[in-house]
Amino acid sequence: MRLPRLATAALVAAAALTLGGCLLPSPPERPVERTAPRAPTTPSGAAAPEVVPVEPDAPVTSGDTTASDTGELYAGEAGETSDGFLPDAAVDVVLPPTAGTPVVRPGIALPVHEDGDELLPGTAHEGSGNLLLTTSGRLELSAGGAEYTCSGTVINSESGLIVLTAAHCIFDDDTRDWYDRISFAPAYERGEAPFGTWVAEEWWVPEQYLEANDRWLDGADDDGWMGFDFGFIRFAPQDGATLEDAVGGQGVSFTAETNGVVIAGYPGNDPFDSEVLRHCAEDRLDYGAGGDANYGADCEMGDGASGSAFVSNLDPTTGAGHITAVFSNGGATGAYGPPLGVTAWNGLRSIDG
């Protein structure tokens, strides 16, 4: 859900779910440039299987082929939901964090918690060495004179400039256009941006999201966009340095597996204020609630938390783990987010480099 800044009312919820998103501005002087996909590689350097984007109705993988098991595929449920939607198809690609070592074992690093309390209060974000604190940040978006906030996370990438967030934090559902400007402040806390504010220069969202979202906004019964509500933003470097140079990069798993998650972001709906990093923790996720291709966690964060990472295998000492999904919608009823798979992996490759 995107949170309007300088406004007291939250956005109107649709279909009993609140969207919390930010939208990304398109550069006014040039079209978005797409780079040719590179051959994917695994962290070991071995060639990963060639993969192609999938449509919402394409079959999901039926087996778990990851080298080291980190959980159950789609929380033990079939990929197709009761409403006939399918998630992004899993692919055997796991990017490690660029600092710290995730703990791959049953359970979660923090106690189960659903109230969105401040994450590690009293711990300095700057130079803390905790990836969950430094890579998580607040996105600020501008469109038609209005300003909004979302959440995002710096990830391991070739360019070192990529933030993972929700698609509706990149594409404006209200105007059906890109935002005029988007910026990112990693480790933001109460007006302070210890690692600076970074400006977006390129972005990507799935075609599946755009097509299904248009049908849904036009009144068609199509919640298929929820399974593809993820996207990537590339930010301009600063003085030759990258985001990863400044804060490190969280790992990402495109295997659709979970091992319990910690969700960290900047909700701004009452009683929150979007000024501090807040979290929920859940040892097991549901899948397919309401017939949608989303994971579900007991978590009461809402507006402004959109784009928050679902971090699995979190190391409590280093804050390193693997992002397996992003916060798409929710509120008092829980937090829901699409698992990342082959479409997300190809989207990352298309703007990274």
Side-chain angles (χ1 to χ4, degrees):
M1 313 154 217
R2 127 190 116 185
L3 177 73
R5 298 189 66 201
L6 307 178
T8 56
L11 294 180
V12 177
L17 295 176
T18 310
L19 286 181
C22 348
L23 303 184
L24 179 67
S26 57
E29 298 180 357
R30 66 174 178 85
V32 175
E33 297 178 358
R34 304 298 183 191
T35 57
R38 298 180 303 280
T41 58
T42 62
S44 65
E50 186 64 29
V51 292
V52 296
V54 294
E55 295 303 320
D57 58 353
V60 69
T61 54
S62 59
D64 174 11
T65 60
T66 52
S68 58
D69 185 23
T70 61
E72 297 176 336
L73 187 65
Y74 297 116
E77 302 290 339
E80 186 171 0
T81 69
S82 59
D83 282 356
F85 295 116
L86 283 160
D88 195 11
V91 62
D92 189 10
V93 176
V94 179
L95 304 179
T98 52
T101 303
V103 176
V104 181
R105 56 174 171 71
I108 53 178
L110 299 176
V112 172
H113 186 74
E114 64 184 47
D115 296 332
D117 280 350
E118 184 176 351
L119 178 64
L120 304 180
T123 304
H125 293 208
E126 185 173 11
S128 69
N130 187 299
L131 277 188
L132 198 57
L133 290 177
T134 59
T135 60
S136 302
R138 193 173 82 163
L139 291 161
E140 295 190 1
L141 324 139
S142 301
E147 295 184 333
Y148 307 90
T149 66
C150 265
S151 303
T153 309
V154 182
I155 63 170
N156 176 359
S157 64
E158 183 173 320
S159 67
L161 296 166
I162 306 298
V163 167
L164 171 63
T165 187
H168 73 264
C169 292
I170 297 174
F171 181 82
D172 190 339
D173 296 319
D174 294 332
T175 65
R176 302 197 189 187
D177 200 354
W178 311 107
Y179 277 108
D180 300 322
R181 175 184 169 86
I182 187 167
S183 62
F184 178 69
Y188 177 90
E189 183 172 18
R190 304 187 190 281
E192 298 294 328
F195 299 102
T197 299
W198 302 67
V199 178
E201 63 177 6
E202 192 175 351
W203 56 91
W204 172 90
V205 299
E207 286 297 326
Q208 296 98 315
Y209 170 83
L210 295 174
E211 293 170 3
N213 180 261
D214 277 347
R215 291 192 295 268
W216 179 69
L217 289 170
D218 287 338
D221 184 16
D222 189 349
D223 286 347
W225 62 268
M226 294 185 186
F228 292 86
D229 190 11
F230 49 76
F232 299 98
I233 305 171
R234 178 173 173 139
F235 287 83
Q238 294 186 8
D239 299 323
T242 70
L243 272 167
E244 278 188 74
D245 291 335
V247 303
Q250 196 63 267
V252 186
S253 172
F254 300 91
T255 66
E257 294 182 304
T258 64
N259 187 30
V261 296
V262 174
I263 304 171
Y266 291 83
N269 53 297
D270 187 60
F272 308 120
D273 59 6
S274 75
E275 289 295 315
V276 298
L277 185 63
R278 298 186 176 276
H279 83 286
C280 294
E282 182 58 59
D283 56 358
R284 179 174 174 81
L285 301 183
D286 296 321
Y287 173 74
D292 303 319
N294 272 198
Y295 284 141
D298 287 334
C299 180
E300 296 190 6
M301 297 194 299
D303 296 350
S306 282
S308 300
F310 284 42
V311 184
S312 187
N313 307 323
L314 183 70
D315 184 328
T317 302
T318 64
H322 298 127
I323 302 173
T324 190
V326 296
F327 192 119
S328 168
N329 55 82
T333 60
Y336 305 93
L340 306 173
V342 62
T343 306
W345 169 234
N346 277 319
L348 172 60
R349 292 193 299 152
S350 74
I351 68 166
D352 191 22

